[in-house]
Amino acid sequence: MFQVRIHGRGGQGVVTAAEVLSVAAYLEGKHAQAFPSFGSERMGAPVVSFCRIDDKEIRLREPILEPDALIVQDPTLFKAIDVCQGLKPTGYLLVNSNRSLAELHLDAIAGQLPKGHVLTVPASELALKHVGRPLPNAALLGAFAHLTGIVQLKSVAAAISEAFSEKIARANIAAATAAYDAVANAPAAA
Amino acid sequence: MNDRTITMDATQKLHFYQKGTFTVGNRLVSEQQRAVQASTDRSNALTCGHRACQGCGEALGARFAIDAAMRATDNNLIAVNATGCLEVFTTPYPETSWQTPWLHSLFGNAAAVATGVAAAMRVKGRTDVRAIAQGGDGGTTDIGFGCLSGMFERNDDVLYICYDNEAYMNTGVQRSSATPPAARTATTPAMGPEPGNVFGTGKSVPKIAVAHGIPYVATATVADLHDLERKVTKAMGIHGARYLHIHVPCPLGWGSLSHDTIRLARLAVECGLFPLFEAEHGAITGSQKIRRRVPVEDYLKPQRRFAHLFASEESKKRIGLVQAIADRNIAEYHLLDQEGDA
Amino acid sequence: MLKQIEGSRAMAETIGLCRPEVICAYPITPQTHIVEGLGEMVRTGEIAKCEFINVESEFAALSVAIGASAAGARAYTATASQGLLFMAEAVYNASGLGLPIVMTLGNRAIGAPINIWNDHSDAMAMCDSGWMQLFAETNQEAADLHIQAFRLAEELSMPVMVCVDGFILTHAVEQVDIPEQADVDAYLPPYEPVQVLDPQAPISIGAMVGPDAFTEVRYLQHYKQTLALRLIPEFAAEFKKQFGRDSGGLLRTYRAEDAELIVVAMGSVNGTIKDTIDAMRADGLSVGLVTLVSFRPFPIAALRETLVRARNVVVIEKSLAVGMGGPLANNVDLALRNVAGAPQVHSVIAGLGGRPITSASLHRVLRRAFVQPWEGSHFLDLNEEIVAKELHYVRKVRRSGPTAENLLRRLSQAAERAAE
């Protein structure tokens, strides 16, 4: 089972990200379970969502306490909560930022995880460029696909098509693809 | 005594021949102008054998109202009843006096249940079958108020009939929000410095119904049964939320003589305490003028629930407060002809 | 058709396939998505011949359903928690009148303190009202149970609550096979009322019943639920035949046949328990599970049969009967009453107000049950520190203030200390 935990703030599409990821996995014939950690709906409040992916039926219903991968849509959260709590030693960390790992003070964590498992990607900027709004979730999923290989980009694209109307889907797919390519073409991480 | 022609509406002109009493015999009225109750082929939806008290205004009002509704709907009527006197005395286990489909659910939900009945009829394509909800003042103005307002707001196709005897009678005459000021009830006893129900309390659900903007609102009384039938018939000719508030004296709760029911109902109208009016879509369309105005004392005196008002010179001053309410109603609803008293 | 879909949406689509005629509901977290989905489908015509009514309270919601059902329409509503309590009078009215209404309960804790998260206190509050109560383990089962519920309700003329864990199931996106209309139609015929308000054949429904017949009315309700004990498995078997999968029934077991310790639980937590059991079995521990689907009627005989050979039974429930302990544990005791050599029953109260029930905690408590069984109810993951502090404080200070606020304050203070 591969467990993904997504952190962000209300209004950034954290819940949708988990759902779209689950649909992508489903389209590849896998079992997937996506759910938010539920709190009162409020823009700007920290939000966490979860996605489990497995080849067999997923019976577990607890929150993801030991994620295989973390997607962080808003790096300001690192100061607010223990984002990386429970991240497995072989885990992945994908952060939405146009700054470097060092600037984000994530060097230490990157050092503890396998090489190439920790990445930043300027998802908000890519979203602004392709979608016109700084909603980073689609771009992050594109980057995630390349980073972990758990789902393919075309599945992410298909899932995005199901979730949004045609015009918006196309724009989000473009953002996802751009992020995917950015990760693919990045120089080998430290 | 002289003849008088009272115009109620264009379709009904009745000539009252008064020969020493105020009664009018149906034999003087043409068939088309007779009350539904006068015809032998009335549905008798509320048939005899029920357990109402002698002189019960509610039994009288319900009988007239429902048979009129049955005629208007060609006997395609479903009645939903709130808990209360009407429900209790018409269905003494194991018998029922209802000859129309009848459902009693709870005290406060008659309006909502009727909404459900109306929805079921619509979905089944039975647009000919209509729903009526009925309850006493307690079940309408207090505990049923939320559901009533909801039904009004949605403009559900329900006629809600409130039989207002101004207290929770079936449980022993406790005060409701329809209890008039100064009235003695079990929970507003005639004791202390201000005996009876408190002045400055109470609500007019007919006015609130008007404020909802529903297609039809009317007040009626068992003192004018033709008018009551007319209003029910008119209401059944309209689709959407409708409200009928009928004043029904209760000899037991009011402490009045059982043969005074209709007389008291008439006095309530004639002194101005119970205005008769109709409204459509938020605007009053007409009111019934007081034929022969009387002071409120005439109405209050025969009721033991107001006896304390007559106990002393001091208490009689409070009658003036009641008179003020009547005066306000007369002004608000234009209950007198321009010339003043008839 | 297989879909990756939100639980609420799956339920809405399936309920739509049951051809409801009157849907009336008042919004309350976490049932909102179900009713919104249904409302959309009525608007677009996807659900045909259906009246969707926005009511002004939960009391009105069930009352509208009562009127609709009594007038012969297939009626549906949904609520949770506070809403269920607000309609409590109507809940008893519907079952007392024998109306086959189906209601989804998005299980949620009851306040005070106000809490929007999942537990079973709402279902427990109305478990003796005469409604049948079926608990879904997965969103597939949540969808499927609604189809079976309509069938069951209309067969017996008795209302049914389908209990679905709020948020955990209602808001989870997972794989659900949405049935085909033809299959649902084959399984669920049109509603044929036992009693109906019909101008062509007038009857009075809802009269007062005195001491001479009230007991018999209640007895017959109770008897109907014993009939349901037979019908529920029958309808589940028919369901399997029509739709090709196991869903519903009174209960099911997981690795319990030879188990020394058997866990009993309802709802979504069963999934987590199964994973825990597999791990414990791998460690050589003899443990199994009974998933109770039908809470009302309570399947005494079926439960006894599965539990009687175990040494220990651990009941894990998301409910608390304040002053008594675990209501589900209490009911399970009933199944073992007067049984010679019956296993010991241990009560675990877990997941109240949405506290996650983790596999790690389950491991701990189940292993403890093997070696050190306890008396009374064990509160899983109780924060003993803040409880002790509060108890100490209220002994010292008379005006100690609201308990809930005190505990929240201590929690945040403890978190601050941990962060330093």
PDB file of all heavy atoms in Angstrom, chain A residues 19 22-23 26 32-34 36 38-39 59-63 65, chain C residues 2 4 117 167 172-174 254 268 271-272 275 278 356 358-359:
ATOM      1  N   GLU A  19      -8.586  13.470  -4.101  1.00  0.00           N
ATOM      2  CA  GLU A  19      -9.610  12.772  -4.886  1.00  0.00           C
ATOM      3  C   GLU A  19      -9.126  12.498  -6.296  1.00  0.00           C
ATOM      4  O   GLU A  19      -9.294  11.388  -6.820  1.00  0.00           O
ATOM      5  CB  GLU A  19     -10.897  13.601  -4.922  1.00  0.00           C
ATOM      6  CG  GLU A  19     -11.600  13.642  -3.582  1.00  0.00           C
ATOM      7  CD  GLU A  19     -12.877  14.467  -3.597  1.00  0.00           C
ATOM      8  OE1 GLU A  19     -13.326  14.888  -4.680  1.00  0.00           O
ATOM      9  OE2 GLU A  19     -13.423  14.692  -2.502  1.00  0.00           O
ATOM     10  N   SER A  22      -6.716   9.739  -6.347  1.00  0.00           N
ATOM     11  CA  SER A  22      -7.371   8.437  -6.181  1.00  0.00           C
ATOM     12  C   SER A  22      -8.018   7.989  -7.495  1.00  0.00           C
ATOM     13  O   SER A  22      -7.994   6.809  -7.837  1.00  0.00           O
ATOM     14  CB  SER A  22      -8.399   8.496  -5.051  1.00  0.00           C
ATOM     15  OG  SER A  22      -9.616   9.065  -5.478  1.00  0.00           O
ATOM     16  N   VAL A  23      -8.584   8.933  -8.222  1.00  0.00           N
ATOM     17  CA  VAL A  23      -9.185   8.578  -9.510  1.00  0.00           C
ATOM     18  C   VAL A  23      -8.109   8.133 -10.495  1.00  0.00           C
ATOM     19  O   VAL A  23      -8.290   7.166 -11.250  1.00  0.00           O
ATOM     20  CB  VAL A  23     -10.000   9.753 -10.081  1.00  0.00           C
ATOM     21  CG1 VAL A  23     -10.488   9.441 -11.493  1.00  0.00           C
ATOM     22  CG2 VAL A  23     -11.184  10.058  -9.174  1.00  0.00           C
ATOM     23  N   TYR A  26      -7.251   4.708  -9.698  1.00  0.00           N
ATOM     24  CA  TYR A  26      -8.373   3.834 -10.080  1.00  0.00           C
ATOM     25  C   TYR A  26      -8.370   3.546 -11.571  1.00  0.00           C
ATOM     26  O   TYR A  26      -8.614   2.417 -12.022  1.00  0.00           O
ATOM     27  CB  TYR A  26      -9.680   4.512  -9.646  1.00  0.00           C
ATOM     28  CG  TYR A  26     -10.927   3.929 -10.265  1.00  0.00           C
ATOM     29  CD1 TYR A  26     -11.462   2.738  -9.798  1.00  0.00           C
ATOM     30  CD2 TYR A  26     -11.561   4.570 -11.331  1.00  0.00           C
ATOM     31  CE1 TYR A  26     -12.611   2.201 -10.364  1.00  0.00           C
ATOM     32  CE2 TYR A  26     -12.698   4.040 -11.894  1.00  0.00           C
ATOM     33  CZ  TYR A  26     -13.217   2.861 -11.416  1.00  0.00           C
ATOM     34  OH  TYR A  26     -14.349   2.335 -11.976  1.00  0.00           O
ATOM     35  N   ALA A  32      -8.112   2.647  -4.586  1.00  0.00           N
ATOM     36  CA  ALA A  32      -7.657   3.901  -3.984  1.00  0.00           C
ATOM     37  C   ALA A  32      -8.721   4.447  -3.059  1.00  0.00           C
ATOM     38  O   ALA A  32      -9.913   4.306  -3.309  1.00  0.00           O
ATOM     39  CB  ALA A  32      -7.327   4.919  -5.071  1.00  0.00           C
ATOM     40  N   GLN A  33      -8.239   5.057  -1.981  1.00  0.00           N
ATOM     41  CA  GLN A  33      -9.153   5.617  -0.981  1.00  0.00           C
ATOM     42  C   GLN A  33      -8.695   7.032  -0.680  1.00  0.00           C
ATOM     43  O   GLN A  33      -7.550   7.240  -0.292  1.00  0.00           O
ATOM     44  CB  GLN A  33      -9.086   4.743   0.281  1.00  0.00           C
ATOM     45  CG  GLN A  33      -9.937   5.206   1.449  1.00  0.00           C
ATOM     46  CD  GLN A  33      -9.462   4.554   2.749  1.00  0.00           C
ATOM     47  OE1 GLN A  33      -8.575   5.043   3.421  1.00  0.00           O
ATOM     48  NE2 GLN A  33     -10.052   3.422   3.109  1.00  0.00           N
ATOM     49  N   ALA A  34      -9.564   8.001  -0.877  1.00  0.00           N
ATOM     50  CA  ALA A  34      -9.199   9.395  -0.598  1.00  0.00           C
ATOM     51  C   ALA A  34     -10.193   9.989   0.380  1.00  0.00           C
ATOM     52  O   ALA A  34     -11.392   9.779   0.253  1.00  0.00           O
ATOM     53  CB  ALA A  34      -9.202  10.208  -1.888  1.00  0.00           C
ATOM     54  N   PRO A  36     -10.631  13.549   3.338  1.00  0.00           N
ATOM     55  CA  PRO A  36     -10.018  14.698   4.015  1.00  0.00           C
ATOM     56  C   PRO A  36      -9.998  14.479   5.526  1.00  0.00           C
ATOM     57  O   PRO A  36     -10.745  13.654   6.042  1.00  0.00           O
ATOM     58  CB  PRO A  36     -10.950  15.857   3.669  1.00  0.00           C
ATOM     59  CG  PRO A  36     -12.268  15.221   3.370  1.00  0.00           C
ATOM     60  CD  PRO A  36     -12.045  13.777   3.058  1.00  0.00           C
ATOM     61  N   PHE A  38     -11.259  16.179   8.585  1.00  0.00           N
ATOM     62  CA  PHE A  38     -12.404  17.059   8.500  1.00  0.00           C
ATOM     63  C   PHE A  38     -12.369  18.094   9.584  1.00  0.00           C
ATOM     64  O   PHE A  38     -12.190  17.792  10.737  1.00  0.00           O
ATOM     65  CB  PHE A  38     -13.668  16.209   8.626  1.00  0.00           C
ATOM     66  CG  PHE A  38     -13.528  14.920   7.892  1.00  0.00           C
ATOM     67  CD1 PHE A  38     -13.063  13.793   8.519  1.00  0.00           C
ATOM     68  CD2 PHE A  38     -13.833  14.849   6.544  1.00  0.00           C
ATOM     69  CE1 PHE A  38     -12.915  12.602   7.839  1.00  0.00           C
ATOM     70  CE2 PHE A  38     -13.697  13.664   5.860  1.00  0.00           C
ATOM     71  CZ  PHE A  38     -13.243  12.540   6.497  1.00  0.00           C
ATOM     72  N   GLY A  39     -12.559  19.288   9.172  1.00  0.00           N
ATOM     73  CA  GLY A  39     -12.682  20.348  10.161  1.00  0.00           C
ATOM     74  C   GLY A  39     -13.718  21.309   9.639  1.00  0.00           C
ATOM     75  O   GLY A  39     -14.343  21.055   8.628  1.00  0.00           O
ATOM     76  N   ARG A  59      -8.810  -1.719   3.380  1.00  0.00           N
ATOM     77  CA  ARG A  59      -9.774  -1.830   4.474  1.00  0.00           C
ATOM     78  C   ARG A  59      -9.500  -0.816   5.579  1.00  0.00           C
ATOM     79  O   ARG A  59     -10.390  -0.461   6.332  1.00  0.00           O
ATOM     80  CB  ARG A  59      -9.723  -3.247   5.065  1.00  0.00           C
ATOM     81  CG  ARG A  59     -10.007  -4.325   4.030  1.00  0.00           C
ATOM     82  CD  ARG A  59      -9.981  -5.704   4.624  1.00  0.00           C
ATOM     83  NE  ARG A  59      -8.721  -6.018   5.288  1.00  0.00           N
ATOM     84  CZ  ARG A  59      -8.345  -7.238   5.619  1.00  0.00           C
ATOM     85  NH1 ARG A  59      -9.140  -8.274   5.342  1.00  0.00           N
ATOM     86  NH2 ARG A  59      -7.203  -7.460   6.246  1.00  0.00           N
ATOM     87  N   LEU A  60      -8.267  -0.341   5.660  1.00  0.00           N
ATOM     88  CA  LEU A  60      -7.858   0.559   6.729  1.00  0.00           C
ATOM     89  C   LEU A  60      -8.620   1.880   6.636  1.00  0.00           C
ATOM     90  O   LEU A  60      -8.810   2.419   5.553  1.00  0.00           O
ATOM     91  CB  LEU A  60      -6.351   0.801   6.586  1.00  0.00           C
ATOM     92  CG  LEU A  60      -5.568   1.346   7.766  1.00  0.00           C
ATOM     93  CD1 LEU A  60      -5.722   0.447   8.985  1.00  0.00           C
ATOM     94  CD2 LEU A  60      -4.100   1.472   7.379  1.00  0.00           C
ATOM     95  N   ARG A  61      -9.049   2.401   7.794  1.00  0.00           N
ATOM     96  CA  ARG A  61      -9.825   3.652   7.800  1.00  0.00           C
ATOM     97  C   ARG A  61      -9.207   4.723   8.682  1.00  0.00           C
ATOM     98  O   ARG A  61      -9.827   5.731   8.929  1.00  0.00           O
ATOM     99  CB  ARG A  61     -11.254   3.378   8.279  1.00  0.00           C
ATOM    100  CG  ARG A  61     -12.083   2.535   7.334  1.00  0.00           C
ATOM    101  CD  ARG A  61     -12.583   3.327   6.151  1.00  0.00           C
ATOM    102  NE  ARG A  61     -13.350   2.480   5.234  1.00  0.00           N
ATOM    103  CZ  ARG A  61     -13.816   2.865   4.068  1.00  0.00           C
ATOM    104  NH1 ARG A  61     -13.596   4.100   3.643  1.00  0.00           N
ATOM    105  NH2 ARG A  61     -14.500   2.029   3.317  1.00  0.00           N
ATOM    106  N   GLU A  62      -8.029   4.510   9.195  1.00  0.00           N
ATOM    107  CA  GLU A  62      -7.460   5.529  10.073  1.00  0.00           C
ATOM    108  C   GLU A  62      -6.793   6.620   9.233  1.00  0.00           C
ATOM    109  O   GLU A  62      -6.511   6.410   8.045  1.00  0.00           O
ATOM    110  CB  GLU A  62      -6.427   4.897  11.017  1.00  0.00           C
ATOM    111  CG  GLU A  62      -5.280   4.237  10.265  1.00  0.00           C
ATOM    112  CD  GLU A  62      -4.290   3.531  11.186  1.00  0.00           C
ATOM    113  OE1 GLU A  62      -4.724   2.886  12.152  1.00  0.00           O
ATOM    114  OE2 GLU A  62      -3.085   3.649  10.911  1.00  0.00           O
ATOM    115  N   PRO A  63      -6.515   7.786   9.818  1.00  0.00           N
ATOM    116  CA  PRO A  63      -5.756   8.807   9.087  1.00  0.00           C
ATOM    117  C   PRO A  63      -4.379   8.247   8.767  1.00  0.00           C
ATOM    118  O   PRO A  63      -3.913   7.311   9.411  1.00  0.00           O
ATOM    119  CB  PRO A  63      -5.647   9.974  10.083  1.00  0.00           C
ATOM    120  CG  PRO A  63      -6.652   9.702  11.126  1.00  0.00           C
ATOM    121  CD  PRO A  63      -6.868   8.230  11.166  1.00  0.00           C
ATOM    122  N   LEU A  65      -0.847   7.995   9.178  1.00  0.00           N
ATOM    123  CA  LEU A  65       0.095   8.413  10.221  1.00  0.00           C
ATOM    124  C   LEU A  65       1.531   8.203   9.781  1.00  0.00           C
ATOM    125  O   LEU A  65       2.443   8.851  10.283  1.00  0.00           O
ATOM    126  CB  LEU A  65      -0.165   7.605  11.505  1.00  0.00           C
ATOM    127  CG  LEU A  65      -1.601   7.713  12.026  1.00  0.00           C
ATOM    128  CD1 LEU A  65      -1.865   6.649  13.083  1.00  0.00           C
ATOM    129  CD2 LEU A  65      -1.848   9.094  12.610  1.00  0.00           C
TER     130      LEU A  65
ATOM    131  N   LEU C   2     -18.954   0.364 -12.203  1.00  0.00           N
ATOM    132  CA  LEU C   2     -17.913   0.663 -11.230  1.00  0.00           C
ATOM    133  C   LEU C   2     -17.483   2.127 -11.352  1.00  0.00           C
ATOM    134  O   LEU C   2     -17.244   2.623 -12.445  1.00  0.00           O
ATOM    135  CB  LEU C   2     -16.718  -0.253 -11.527  1.00  0.00           C
ATOM    136  CG  LEU C   2     -15.849  -0.713 -10.361  1.00  0.00           C
ATOM    137  CD1 LEU C   2     -16.703  -1.345  -9.275  1.00  0.00           C
ATOM    138  CD2 LEU C   2     -14.828  -1.733 -10.866  1.00  0.00           C
ATOM    139  N   GLN C   4     -15.155   5.413  -9.237  1.00  0.00           N
ATOM    140  CA  GLN C   4     -14.388   5.951  -8.112  1.00  0.00           C
ATOM    141  C   GLN C   4     -15.172   7.190  -7.688  1.00  0.00           C
ATOM    142  O   GLN C   4     -15.185   8.189  -8.396  1.00  0.00           O
ATOM    143  CB  GLN C   4     -12.956   6.297  -8.539  1.00  0.00           C
ATOM    144  CG  GLN C   4     -12.084   6.878  -7.444  1.00  0.00           C
ATOM    145  CD  GLN C   4     -11.537   5.824  -6.473  1.00  0.00           C
ATOM    146  OE1 GLN C   4     -11.793   4.628  -6.628  1.00  0.00           O
ATOM    147  NE2 GLN C   4     -10.785   6.267  -5.487  1.00  0.00           N
ATOM    148  N   TRP C 117     -18.097  15.339  14.187  1.00  0.00           N
ATOM    149  CA  TRP C 117     -17.400  14.142  13.712  1.00  0.00           C
ATOM    150  C   TRP C 117     -18.132  12.865  14.092  1.00  0.00           C
ATOM    151  O   TRP C 117     -19.130  12.863  14.802  1.00  0.00           O
ATOM    152  CB  TRP C 117     -15.961  14.160  14.245  1.00  0.00           C
ATOM    153  CG  TRP C 117     -15.176  15.283  13.643  1.00  0.00           C
ATOM    154  CD1 TRP C 117     -14.445  15.260  12.479  1.00  0.00           C
ATOM    155  CD2 TRP C 117     -15.042  16.611  14.161  1.00  0.00           C
ATOM    156  NE1 TRP C 117     -13.881  16.486  12.245  1.00  0.00           N
ATOM    157  CE2 TRP C 117     -14.220  17.346  13.262  1.00  0.00           C
ATOM    158  CE3 TRP C 117     -15.539  17.273  15.286  1.00  0.00           C
ATOM    159  CZ2 TRP C 117     -13.892  18.689  13.447  1.00  0.00           C
ATOM    160  CZ3 TRP C 117     -15.212  18.610  15.481  1.00  0.00           C
ATOM    161  CH2 TRP C 117     -14.395  19.303  14.576  1.00  0.00           C
ATOM    162  N   PHE C 167     -18.353  11.389   7.600  1.00  0.00           N
ATOM    163  CA  PHE C 167     -17.025  11.745   7.115  1.00  0.00           C
ATOM    164  C   PHE C 167     -16.231  10.511   6.673  1.00  0.00           C
ATOM    165  O   PHE C 167     -15.803  10.426   5.535  1.00  0.00           O
ATOM    166  CB  PHE C 167     -16.217  12.507   8.162  1.00  0.00           C
ATOM    167  CG  PHE C 167     -16.667  13.920   8.354  1.00  0.00           C
ATOM    168  CD1 PHE C 167     -16.674  14.489   9.611  1.00  0.00           C
ATOM    169  CD2 PHE C 167     -17.070  14.693   7.279  1.00  0.00           C
ATOM    170  CE1 PHE C 167     -17.088  15.801   9.803  1.00  0.00           C
ATOM    171  CE2 PHE C 167     -17.482  16.005   7.453  1.00  0.00           C
ATOM    172  CZ  PHE C 167     -17.493  16.555   8.729  1.00  0.00           C
ATOM    173  N   ALA C 172     -15.580   9.943   1.943  1.00  0.00           N
ATOM    174  CA  ALA C 172     -14.437   9.226   1.369  1.00  0.00           C
ATOM    175  C   ALA C 172     -14.726   8.893  -0.084  1.00  0.00           C
ATOM    176  O   ALA C 172     -15.856   8.550  -0.438  1.00  0.00           O
ATOM    177  CB  ALA C 172     -14.168   7.946   2.153  1.00  0.00           C
ATOM    178  N   VAL C 173     -13.714   9.000  -0.909  1.00  0.00           N
ATOM    179  CA  VAL C 173     -13.823   8.644  -2.317  1.00  0.00           C
ATOM    180  C   VAL C 173     -13.206   7.268  -2.488  1.00  0.00           C
ATOM    181  O   VAL C 173     -12.039   7.064  -2.156  1.00  0.00           O
ATOM    182  CB  VAL C 173     -13.093   9.680  -3.203  1.00  0.00           C
ATOM    183  CG1 VAL C 173     -13.071   9.228  -4.652  1.00  0.00           C
ATOM    184  CG2 VAL C 173     -13.761  11.028  -3.087  1.00  0.00           C
ATOM    185  N   GLU C 174     -14.000   6.326  -2.937  1.00  0.00           N
ATOM    186  CA  GLU C 174     -13.483   4.978  -3.135  1.00  0.00           C
ATOM    187  C   GLU C 174     -14.300   4.293  -4.220  1.00  0.00           C
ATOM    188  O   GLU C 174     -15.249   4.856  -4.763  1.00  0.00           O
ATOM    189  CB  GLU C 174     -13.541   4.174  -1.830  1.00  0.00           C
ATOM    190  CG  GLU C 174     -14.932   4.011  -1.252  1.00  0.00           C
ATOM    191  CD  GLU C 174     -14.901   3.578   0.213  1.00  0.00           C
ATOM    192  OE1 GLU C 174     -14.321   4.308   1.026  1.00  0.00           O
ATOM    193  OE2 GLU C 174     -15.487   2.520   0.521  1.00  0.00           O
ATOM    194  N   TYR C 254     -15.029 -12.772  10.435  1.00  0.00           N
ATOM    195  CA  TYR C 254     -13.721 -12.743   9.785  1.00  0.00           C
ATOM    196  C   TYR C 254     -12.749 -13.479  10.691  1.00  0.00           C
ATOM    197  O   TYR C 254     -12.412 -13.008  11.783  1.00  0.00           O
ATOM    198  CB  TYR C 254     -13.296 -11.296   9.558  1.00  0.00           C
ATOM    199  CG  TYR C 254     -11.985 -11.165   8.812  1.00  0.00           C
ATOM    200  CD1 TYR C 254     -11.914 -11.398   7.440  1.00  0.00           C
ATOM    201  CD2 TYR C 254     -10.809 -10.812   9.474  1.00  0.00           C
ATOM    202  CE1 TYR C 254     -10.721 -11.294   6.760  1.00  0.00           C
ATOM    203  CE2 TYR C 254      -9.606 -10.694   8.800  1.00  0.00           C
ATOM    204  CZ  TYR C 254      -9.567 -10.941   7.438  1.00  0.00           C
ATOM    205  OH  TYR C 254      -8.380 -10.824   6.763  1.00  0.00           O
ATOM    206  N   SER C 268     -17.505   1.307   9.869  1.00  0.00           N
ATOM    207  CA  SER C 268     -16.271   1.356   9.085  1.00  0.00           C
ATOM    208  C   SER C 268     -15.037   0.871   9.841  1.00  0.00           C
ATOM    209  O   SER C 268     -14.060   0.460   9.226  1.00  0.00           O
ATOM    210  CB  SER C 268     -16.026   2.781   8.607  1.00  0.00           C
ATOM    211  OG  SER C 268     -15.872   3.638   9.729  1.00  0.00           O
ATOM    212  N   GLY C 271     -12.955  -2.400   8.997  1.00  0.00           N
ATOM    213  CA  GLY C 271     -11.862  -2.503   8.022  1.00  0.00           C
ATOM    214  C   GLY C 271     -10.512  -2.448   8.707  1.00  0.00           C
ATOM    215  O   GLY C 271      -9.630  -3.287   8.473  1.00  0.00           O
ATOM    216  N   THR C 272     -10.365  -1.465   9.587  1.00  0.00           N
ATOM    217  CA  THR C 272      -9.117  -1.330  10.330  1.00  0.00           C
ATOM    218  C   THR C 272      -8.897  -2.540  11.231  1.00  0.00           C
ATOM    219  O   THR C 272      -7.768  -3.038  11.357  1.00  0.00           O
ATOM    220  CB  THR C 272      -9.159  -0.051  11.189  1.00  0.00           C
ATOM    221  OG1 THR C 272      -9.531   1.052  10.367  1.00  0.00           O
ATOM    222  CG2 THR C 272      -7.802   0.229  11.817  1.00  0.00           C
ATOM    223  N   ASP C 275      -7.428  -5.518   9.276  1.00  0.00           N
ATOM    224  CA  ASP C 275      -5.978  -5.389   9.062  1.00  0.00           C
ATOM    225  C   ASP C 275      -5.226  -5.746  10.344  1.00  0.00           C
ATOM    226  O   ASP C 275      -4.190  -6.435  10.304  1.00  0.00           O
ATOM    227  CB  ASP C 275      -5.633  -3.950   8.642  1.00  0.00           C
ATOM    228  CG  ASP C 275      -5.770  -3.735   7.143  1.00  0.00           C
ATOM    229  OD1 ASP C 275      -6.276  -4.640   6.452  1.00  0.00           O
ATOM    230  OD2 ASP C 275      -5.359  -2.662   6.659  1.00  0.00           O
ATOM    231  N   ASP C 278      -5.235  -9.526  10.929  1.00  0.00           N
ATOM    232  CA  ASP C 278      -4.291 -10.236  10.069  1.00  0.00           C
ATOM    233  C   ASP C 278      -2.882 -10.156  10.650  1.00  0.00           C
ATOM    234  O   ASP C 278      -2.141 -11.153  10.675  1.00  0.00           O
ATOM    235  CB  ASP C 278      -4.313  -9.647   8.652  1.00  0.00           C
ATOM    236  CG  ASP C 278      -5.516 -10.132   7.853  1.00  0.00           C
ATOM    237  OD1 ASP C 278      -6.243 -11.017   8.349  1.00  0.00           O
ATOM    238  OD2 ASP C 278      -5.727  -9.627   6.734  1.00  0.00           O
ATOM    239  N   PRO C 356      -9.821   9.243  15.848  1.00  0.00           N
ATOM    240  CA  PRO C 356      -9.475   8.111  14.978  1.00  0.00           C
ATOM    241  C   PRO C 356      -9.153   6.857  15.788  1.00  0.00           C
ATOM    242  O   PRO C 356      -8.541   6.940  16.843  1.00  0.00           O
ATOM    243  CB  PRO C 356      -8.226   8.592  14.232  1.00  0.00           C
ATOM    244  CG  PRO C 356      -8.199  10.066  14.384  1.00  0.00           C
ATOM    245  CD  PRO C 356      -8.894  10.373  15.680  1.00  0.00           C
ATOM    246  N   THR C 358      -6.951   3.867  15.656  1.00  0.00           N
ATOM    247  CA  THR C 358      -5.777   3.454  14.879  1.00  0.00           C
ATOM    248  C   THR C 358      -5.487   1.983  15.097  1.00  0.00           C
ATOM    249  O   THR C 358      -5.814   1.409  16.142  1.00  0.00           O
ATOM    250  CB  THR C 358      -4.541   4.266  15.282  1.00  0.00           C
ATOM    251  OG1 THR C 358      -4.241   3.978  16.656  1.00  0.00           O
ATOM    252  CG2 THR C 358      -4.773   5.744  15.107  1.00  0.00           C
ATOM    253  N   SER C 359      -4.879   1.424  14.088  1.00  0.00           N
ATOM    254  CA  SER C 359      -4.469   0.033  14.172  1.00  0.00           C
ATOM    255  C   SER C 359      -3.526  -0.168  15.351  1.00  0.00           C
ATOM    256  O   SER C 359      -3.597  -1.174  16.057  1.00  0.00           O
ATOM    257  CB  SER C 359      -3.797  -0.363  12.852  1.00  0.00           C
ATOM    258  OG  SER C 359      -3.711  -1.748  12.736  1.00  0.00           O
TER     259      SER C 359
END
